Amino acid sequence: MEVLTVKNIVRTYGRGAATFNALKGVDLTIKQGESVAIVGKSGSGKSTLMHILALLDQPTNGEVTLLGQATQTINKKALNQLRNQTFGFVFQQFFLNPKDTVLENVLLPLKIAGVPTKKRKKMALTVLRAVELENKADNLANDLSGGQKQRVCIARALVNNPEIIFADEPTGNLDSTTSEKVEQLLFQLNQTKKMTLIIVTHDPELAARCDRQIQIKDGLIVKEAV
Ligand SMILES: Nc1ncnc2c1ncn2[C@@H]1O[C@H](COP(=O)(O)OP(=O)(O)OP(=O)(O)O)[C@@H](O)[C@H]1O
Ligand SMILES: [Mg+2]
């Protein structure tokens, strides 16, 4: 089953003389349960593509279809709901709320989705255990190390059992032992729950672990390796 399809995606930033075409016509189909790595040099358009796939940004041109539904016509409220239910995000620019506890940060998506208090606490503690941060549940997010914050982001991304995980350099800030654990967790969910993984990475080993590698160069897919 196709979960996400994009056709002829163009994304132009700026206007006038400052216009820049970050994506120049990208076609991509992602099937349920796949793990896909998006690779390429800095500035090639990986994050831009991922934001469009995750419905966080709209393309200047082209179509995005999620689970058979054209996304252009979905209103803002429904789109927010759809994102909250279907996607998990591990983006570095998605900061935690520093003044909230680790637990509060992780259960936020469940709160938004209206999951009852007791149940959401239990679910959040389960994913915190998976990233080995259960003992930090009541700490302020601000008081964690960089790698621990990254793992909190990962726990938050996983807490609502999303169909698709979008991860932009998920292990970029982690030491090799921790990043191995995080990768194991992601691929385990991919295998056992058929969670679709879309990962932007500069790490060739992580990319090689995925079912497919999409290489972006100057805003175009230049190579697809299986
Ligand atoms: N808001 C913006 N306004 C103007 N140009 C932008 C904007 N965002 C990104 N760009 C440009 O679009 C191009 C693609 O950016 P993008 O963030 O997608 O790159 P990337 O492949 O994710 O790079 P990196 O590996 O460094 O994260 C870059 O040349 C960047 O300068
Ligand atoms: Mg990027």
Side-chain angles (χ1 to χ4, degrees), residues 34-214:
E34 267 193 314
S35 53
V36 180
I38 299 175
V39 301
K41 279 193 190 147
S42 176
S44 56
K46 304 181 296 298
S47 294
T48 302
L49 176 59
M50 175 157 285
H51 286 115
I52 288 171
L53 289 170
L55 309 178
L56 292 165
D57 181 29
Q58 287 199 335
T60 310
N61 249 308
E63 290 167 33
V64 182
T65 309
L66 174 69
L67 298 163
Q69 193 181 8
T71 55
Q72 290 100 318
T73 54
I74 305 174
N75 71 43
K76 218 174 170 181
K77 195 176 162 209
L79 199 63
N80 284 336
Q81 206 171 21
L82 191 69
R83 258 200 312 262
N84 188 55
Q85 285 170 357
T86 320
F87 298 160
F89 299 104
V90 187
F91 286 1
Q92 288 178 313
Q93 61 271 49
F94 270 8
F95 296 120
L96 302 168
N97 299 322
K99 290 180 185 159
D100 283 346
T101 66
V102 166
L103 184 69
E104 283 160 353
N105 271 283
V106 172
L107 56 73
L108 189 63
L110 302 174
K111 201 170 172 179
I112 294 169
V115 176
T117 313
K118 237 179 155 173
K119 189 174 177 198
R120 67 185 184 231
K121 190 174 172 189
K122 201 175 157 203
M123 289 168 77
L125 286 171
T126 304
V127 286
L128 278 172
R129 195 175 314 136
V131 296
E132 297 182 14
L133 282 176
E134 207 184 5
N135 61 337
K136 297 281 185 187
D138 297 324
N139 283 47
L140 293 183
N142 199 35
D143 296 341
L144 300 185
S145 74
Q148 288 171 336
K149 283 181 188 154
Q150 184 93 329
R151 282 186 280 153
V152 176
C153 289
I154 289 164
R156 185 179 55 184
L158 300 176
V159 77
N160 59 347
N161 281 313
E163 267 183 74
I164 309 179
I165 295 269
F166 292 96
D168 201 340
E169 293 285 356
T171 55
N173 289 330
L174 304 179
D175 64 85
S176 59
T177 315
T178 313
S179 67
E180 176 54 28
K181 277 183 191 150
V182 164
E183 286 179 29
Q184 258 174 25
L185 182 65
L186 290 174
F187 285 100
Q188 186 193 329
L189 290 164
N190 170 249
Q191 246 122 61
T192 59
K193 298 199 172 171
K194 294 264 168 281
M195 210 178 260
T196 306
L197 298 181
I198 304 176
I199 305 175
V200 168
T201 184
H202 286 286
D203 175 356
E205 279 178 40
L206 173 55
R209 242 169 130 164
C210 293
D211 296 329
R212 281 202 285 158
Q213 291 186 48
I214 311 282

